[in-house]
Amino acid sequence: TNPFQLITLIYEPMHTPSITGALYFVTFIDDYTYFFIIITLLQKKSEAQPHCVAYKHLVENQLNPKKQNPKK
């Protein structure tokens, strides 16, 4: 495989709520490099989907960074 080709998603409830009230956590792991790992705390299960989309965009930007035009 190549970097970001296989992503492991671990989604679990926490035994004790966090200080901020989070009850769940989701972990994204790049199985090729084990370098790009993100852990996100969630208060509700429904909050997971936007974080999946954000992780996908972050990975895409890492693989294909757009060249920025310098300001004139």
Side-chain angles (χ1 to χ4, degrees), residues 1 4 7-10 13 15 20 22 24-27 30-32 35 37 40 44 46-48 50 54 62 66 71:
T1 64
F4 305 113
I7 304 296
T8 297
L9 175 68
I10 301 170
H15 298 291
T20 60
Y24 302 92
F25 70 92
V26 62
T27 306
D30 172 26
D31 288 335
Y32 182 80
F35 175 74
I37 299 172
T40 304
K44 297 183 275 184
S46 60
E47 296 174 357
Q62 291 294 317
K66 294 179 182 175
K71 293 182 180 180

Side-chain angles (χ1 to χ4, degrees), residues 2-72:
N2 294 317
F4 305 113
Q5 221 173 19
L6 181 61
I7 304 296
T8 297
L9 175 68
I10 301 170
Y11 178 79
E12 303 235 353
M14 296 193 294
H15 298 291
T16 305
S18 72
I19 294 172
T20 60
L23 301 172
Y24 302 92
F25 70 92
V26 62
T27 306
F28 302 92
I29 304 169
D30 172 26
D31 288 335
Y32 182 80
T33 64
Y34 289 102
F35 175 74
F36 209 69
I37 299 172
I38 295 180
I39 300 170
T40 304
L41 300 177
L42 310 171
Q43 291 183 345
K44 297 183 275 184
K45 289 181 183 182
S46 60
E47 296 174 357
Q49 197 273 338
H51 290 284
C52 291
V53 172
Y55 183 80
K56 177 181 178 282
H57 290 152
L58 187 63
V59 167
E60 289 172 349
N61 287 337
Q62 291 294 317
L63 290 176
N64 299 313
K66 294 179 182 175
K67 293 183 180 177
Q68 297 180 357
N69 293 329
K71 293 182 180 180
K72 294 181 180 182

